[in-house]
Structures are given as C-alpha cells and as structure tokens.
C-alpha cells in the first residue's frame, strides 16, 4: 500500500535551517507528483511545494527563495531544505501524493487534490 513517512522535524532558532525528508513506498514514485503541505494550529493546511515527474518544482509564495525541494527518484525520497526560518514557519509538515497525477497544475495547493498523506513532522521555530 501507499506509504509516506516524513522525518527531520525539530526545534530551530529563527534564522536557522532545517531539512525534512519524505520517504515513499508502495507505488511507482517517479510517475507521481509529490507535494509538501504544512498546518499551523488554528490555520488551514497550506501548500508549500509541489515537485513533478520532470523535476520541476512550484513553491508557495510564503516560502519562495527560502525553501528548496530535492527529489531523488532512485531513493523514492523528496527533501525539503528550509532556510531563514521564522516563527511563522512553525507547523506540522506533511508530504502528499495523489491517486493519479504527474504534474503540478494551478490547483497544486489544494489539499483536496491529494489522496495519500504522511503522518507529519513538527517544525518549531523559536528562541
């Protein structure tokens, strides 16, 4: 069965960096887009990034220039490199993939477009 597992979360100071990893199994990884979302307490789930099967990545406006996605089809992993973190980045971070879909269209930020989710990993940015 499809399984996604995030790792790498933790506590980091403002201005610091952190790298998250999403390990996938149970499906042909290189055929599907993989997205990162995050959800802060009391807020809706927010699209962070979406990487497609051709290696292109789209980013949410709030993380552009600070976050970078690296997709490794050989290892079935997608990493999210986060830098210049601030307290507003505090959230549970999830990776997700759809039942079908290779590319990140205009609606990639819609959580409803994804069928499989990992359990999430907590990122806390604080002194």
């Amino acid at each position: 069965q499809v399984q996604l597992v995030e790792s790498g979360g933790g506590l980091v100071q403002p201005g610091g960096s952190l790298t998250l990893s999403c390990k996938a199994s149970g499906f042909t990884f290189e055929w599907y887009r993989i997205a990162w979302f995050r959800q802060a307490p009391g807020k809706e789930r927010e699209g962070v990034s979406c990487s497609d099967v051709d290696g292109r990545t789209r980013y949410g406006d709030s993380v552009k220039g600070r976050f970078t996605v690296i997709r490794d089809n050989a290892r079935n992993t997608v990493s999210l490199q986060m830098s210049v973190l601030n307290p507003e980045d505090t959230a549970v971070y999830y990776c997700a993939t759809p039942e079908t879909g290779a590319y990140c269209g205009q609606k990639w930020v819609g959580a409803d477009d994804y069928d499989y989710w990992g359990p999430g990993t907590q990122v806390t940015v604080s002194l």
Side-chain angles (χ1 to χ4, degrees):
Q1 68 276 21
V2 174
Q3 190 171 16
L4 301 168
V5 180
E6 305 91 344
S7 62
L11 174 64
V12 61
Q13 293 187 348
S17 301
L18 200 64
T19 296
L20 308 182
S21 182
C22 172
K23 175 69 174 176
S25 61
F27 64 105
T28 308
F29 181 81
E30 60 263 34
W31 292 358
Y32 298 91
R33 69 178 184 270
I34 305 292
W36 282 97
F37 284 79
R38 66 185 183 184
Q39 189 165 20
K43 294 188 176 181
E44 293 188 357
R45 198 162 289 193
E46 175 191 10
V48 173
S49 67
C50 179
S51 64
D52 70 20
V53 298
D54 292 335
R56 295 170 298 200
T57 302
R58 303 183 71 156
Y59 295 93
D61 289 341
S62 62
V63 306
K64 281 180 183 176
R66 300 188 298 122
F67 290 12
T68 302
V69 166
I70 297 176
R71 179 171 179 148
D72 187 341
N73 286 340
R75 291 187 169 86
N76 285 10
T77 61
V78 177
S79 297
L80 181 67
Q81 298 179 337
M82 307 183 294
S83 63
V84 195
L85 287 163
N86 59 67
E88 289 69 39
D89 296 313
T90 295
V92 178
Y93 284 71
Y94 304 89
C95 59
T97 194
E99 184 77 30
T100 58
Y103 296 98
C104 308
Q106 292 295 327
K107 295 182 179 180
W108 74 265
V109 294
D112 290 345
D113 278 359
Y114 297 84
D115 302 286
Y116 302 100
W117 295 80
T121 186
Q122 176 71 47
V123 172
T124 302
V125 184
S126 179
L127 291 172

